[in-house]
C-alpha cells in the first residue's frame, strides 16, 4: 500500500493503442484478432475516458465479466483480451501483476456441431455444380475437418492410398493432426 501511495496513479487509456500496436507485431496474431481484442478491451477502458491503474482490479474485472455474461456467452474471449492487455502493462512495469489471472471464469458451452448422414452428404454433393466446391465439401463430409483446415490443404498432401492427410491447425501448430477420409464415395 505504501508503494502504491508513493507512486501517482497512472491512466491506462493511453496504453491501449500502444498495446494494440505491440499486439500487431506479435507472431501468430492476425489483424482480425487484434481488432477484436481492441474492441473487447475498449468496453472496459473506453477511448477518451479516464480509467486509472487503481481501478484495474480483480473486483472490477470480475464485475465487468459478470455483467457482460448477462449479455453474451463468450466472456472467456474478453478475459483473454484483458489478460493480454494486463500482461503488456506488467512487462512495462505499469502493473505489478496480472489481475485478470485472479478472476475465475465460467465454463462456456461447447460449440454445437451438426453432422450429415451419408445420404444427406451424398445429396448435398450431387447439388454442387462447381468441381472445386464439390471437392471441398466432399473432403469435409468424408473426413469431418473444418473448412479452414480444408482450405489450407494442397492437392499433393492427400495420400490417396491411405486416405490420410495432415489437417493444419489454424490458431496454433499444436492443433495440427492427421485426418482420414473414411467414406470412399467422397473420393470420386
Amino acid at each position: 500500500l505504501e508503494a502504491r501511495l508513493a507512486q501517482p496513479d497512472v491512466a491506462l487509456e493511453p496504453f491501449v493503442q500502444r498495446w494494440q500496436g505491440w499486439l500487431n507485431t506479435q507472431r501468430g496474431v492476425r489483424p482480425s484478432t487484434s481488432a477484436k481484442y481492441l474492441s473487447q478491451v475498449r468496453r472496459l477502458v473506453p477511448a477518451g475516458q479516464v480509467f486509472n491503474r487503481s481501478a484495474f482490479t480483480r473486483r472490477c474485472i470480475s464485475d465487468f465479466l459478470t455483467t457482460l455474461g448477462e449479455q453474451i456467452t463468450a466472456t472467456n474471449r474478453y478475459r483473454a483480451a484483458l489478460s493480454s492487455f494486463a500482461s503488456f502493462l506488467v512487462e512495462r512495469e505499469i502493473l505489478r501483476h496480472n489481475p485478470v489471472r485472479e478472476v475465475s471464469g465460467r465454463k462456456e458451452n461447447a460449440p454445437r456441431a451438426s453432422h450429415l448422414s451419408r445420404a444427406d452428404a451424398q445429396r448435398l454433393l450431387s447439388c454442387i455444380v462447381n468441381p472445386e466446391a464439390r471437392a471441398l465439401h466432399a473432403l469435409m463430409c468424408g473426413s469431418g475437418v473444418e473448412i479452414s483446415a480444408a482450405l489450407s490443404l494442397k492437392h499433393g498432401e492427400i495420400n490417396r492410398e491411405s486416405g490420410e492427410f495432415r489437417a493444419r491447425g489454424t490458431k496454433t501448430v499444436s492443433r495440427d493432426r492427421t485426418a482420414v477420409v473414411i467414406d470412399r464415395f467422397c473420393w470420386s
Side-chain angles (χ1 to χ4, degrees), residues 40 43 64-79 106 108:
Q40 291 164 342
R43 284 189 75 169
F64 170 72
L65 292 173
T66 301
T67 304
L68 195 62
E70 296 167 1
Q71 303 164 7
I72 63 169
T73 57
T75 56
N76 284 341
R77 295 183 184 134
Y78 281 81
R79 182 178 287 102
R106 74 171 195 210
E108 292 183 11

Side-chain angles (χ1 to χ4, degrees), residues 39-167:
S39 70
Q40 291 164 342
V41 168
R42 282 291 184 202
R43 284 189 75 169
L44 180 65
V45 186
Q49 293 186 14
V50 177
F51 189 90
N52 290 330
R53 173 181 58 200
S54 60
F56 197 55
T57 62
R58 181 182 60 78
R59 167 78 67 178
C60 169
I61 295 162
S62 178
D63 291 346
F64 170 72
L65 292 173
T66 301
T67 304
L68 195 62
E70 296 167 1
Q71 303 164 7
I72 63 169
T73 57
T75 56
N76 284 341
R77 295 183 184 134
Y78 281 81
R79 182 178 287 102
L82 290 170
S83 185
S84 173
F85 177 58
S87 295
F88 173 81
L89 295 173
V90 168
E91 284 181 12
R92 278 135 194 90
E93 297 181 356
I94 307 299
L95 296 175
R96 291 185 185 271
H97 68 284
N98 184 340
V100 182
R101 292 190 179 144
E102 299 171 358
V103 178
S104 61
R106 74 171 195 210
K107 187 163 174 44
E108 292 183 11
N109 295 332
R112 289 180 294 160
S114 58
H115 303 279
L116 298 176
S117 66
R118 186 170 199 249
D120 288 342
Q122 286 176 320
R123 196 169 24 260
L124 170 70
L125 293 175
S126 68
C127 295
I128 300 174
V129 177
N130 181 300
E132 286 87 14
R134 188 170 52 250
L136 174 68
H137 283 80
L139 178 70
M140 292 188 304
C141 288
S143 65
V145 297
E146 66 278 8
I147 193 162
S148 56
L151 287 172
S152 68
L153 192 63
K154 307 284 186 276
H155 187 274
E157 295 175 337
I158 301 174
N159 183 339
R160 292 183 64 87
E161 290 153 11
S162 67
E164 295 180 342
F165 61 93
R166 185 171 143 240

